[in-house]
Amino acid sequence: DQAVIINPVLLFRESNPLRSVSLRPTSSKVVLSREDGLEDSLTLNPATTGENITLAVGSNAKSITIVDMTRPFNAISIRHELQGVHRGSIYTSDWSRDGKILASGSNDKTIRVIRNIPMTGQAADRQDISCTSLKGHTGTIRCLKFCPFFGSSAASVLASGGAGDCRMRLWDVQTENCTALAAHQDHIHGISWVNNEVVLSGCDKGVLLAHDIRAASVAWSTNLSHNGICHLGNICDNLLLTGHTNGEVNIFDMRTRRRLSSHILHSGDVRSVAMWTQTAVPGSTVDVDAAHLFGLTTSFDGQGSVWSFDKQRLLSGNSNSEGSVVKVARLVGHTDKILSSVYSPHTHDIITSGADGNVLSWSASNIASTV
């Protein structure tokens, strides 16, 4: 193992497992139009302006903590501690594209929509922050995702899924209207938006569904793996990285709708994944022909890793040849399961949260030089 070991900075700690960490986006985005008519979703992932990062951390203690950081993390502050947001553990959270709304999901079967979170000046009193509930799920809400794309009402569109009836639901958080989408045969653990009309969901049976939200129907489906899907990453260069039970990671080609490669990269469930090109930052040109893509995987085995994927080998069918997937960095610091992670394409930071109650930050800015 020639991977570089990256040591973390401790951002936040509490005594309870922290199941969810989400990165607040900014309203300024670079949208790159592709020849196939899709927008490059990588430029629409959570990012920050300047050198500041704002996180929402969801806890088993039913609370959400808003953490502010000024890089290089010489100023870390707790902006808000929102107690009793849910009646159960918080499993998932996400910010709207404009960064004005935070949604969270819990095993209390509700989604909480939080507005008016001040992001400048002194922290406001709790009563200044509004919180409403969206009800419709019949089991634990394990994943939710705002639409990250531009459109007439896309900023307020939220997709959610989980246990119970295992049905995907689409919400307009402004009107609180709900559209029931297709149901899986097992718990839903992953959601990823393709564009503002199609959203993906993955379940414990390894099935991937593409939902056409205009017709509220299934556009297509595929049996991605016999191992359950734990997480769906962002779509980068029309490739989707997926995390599974038993340490499996797959790379799926969205254009051909086929699995390009499958790898056992961990000894436990892979609960978070992300993919990026190192040049993909706002204000720069995304090199879609770059030789390597980078992938983040974090797992129940307590390990986090950054991988280099050789894109040419993936697309040519030589994905299992030596050098096609190389571990370039190890994230060492958690003492228990890593439950959630996010990657900032603007600052090249990786943020993780775990069952050890820690939120850690890792700098991935120099990873490209190791390939």
Side-chain angles (χ1 to χ4, degrees), residues 160-190:
S160 61
D165 61 9
C166 305
R167 182 173 294 279
M168 276 280 288
R169 285 176 168 80
L170 195 71
W171 308 84
D172 184 326
V173 298
Q174 301 294 355
T175 64
E176 300 186 8
N177 288 336
C178 176
T179 301
L181 301 178
H184 284 267
Q185 295 181 0
D186 212 329
H187 297 179
I188 300 171
H189 283 278

Side-chain angles (χ1 to χ4, degrees), residues 88-127:
S89 300
I90 297 172
Y91 277 71
T92 180
S93 63
D94 193 39
W95 297 83
S96 61
R97 191 196 69 234
D98 57 12
K100 295 180 179 180
I101 303 173
L102 176 66
S104 60
S106 166
N107 58 5
D108 65 6
K109 306 177 186 178
T110 65
I111 295 171
R112 298 287 274 171
V113 179
I114 306 169
R115 297 178 175 85
N116 304 326
I117 304 176
M119 291 300 165
T120 58
Q122 297 297 316
D125 293 334
R126 177 69 172 86
Q127 61 264 25

Side-chain angles (χ1 to χ4, degrees), residues 33-94:
S33 298
R34 305 182 61 89
E35 291 182 0
D36 56 11
L38 298 179
E39 295 172 330
D40 192 319
S41 63
L42 190 63
T43 63
L44 299 177
N45 280 344
T48 55
T49 55
E51 294 296 313
N52 296 326
I53 291 177
T54 299
L55 300 172
V57 181
S59 169
N60 269 18
K62 312 170 187 177
S63 64
I64 293 177
T65 303
I66 309 297
V67 182
D68 276 352
M69 297 164 289
T70 301
R71 298 183 80 252
F73 305 122
N74 53 6
I76 301 171
S77 62
I78 305 300
R79 178 166 291 277
H80 305 287
E81 291 183 276
L82 309 179
Q83 303 292 331
V85 176
H86 286 274
R87 297 193 306 274
S89 300
I90 297 172
Y91 277 71
T92 180
S93 63
D94 193 39

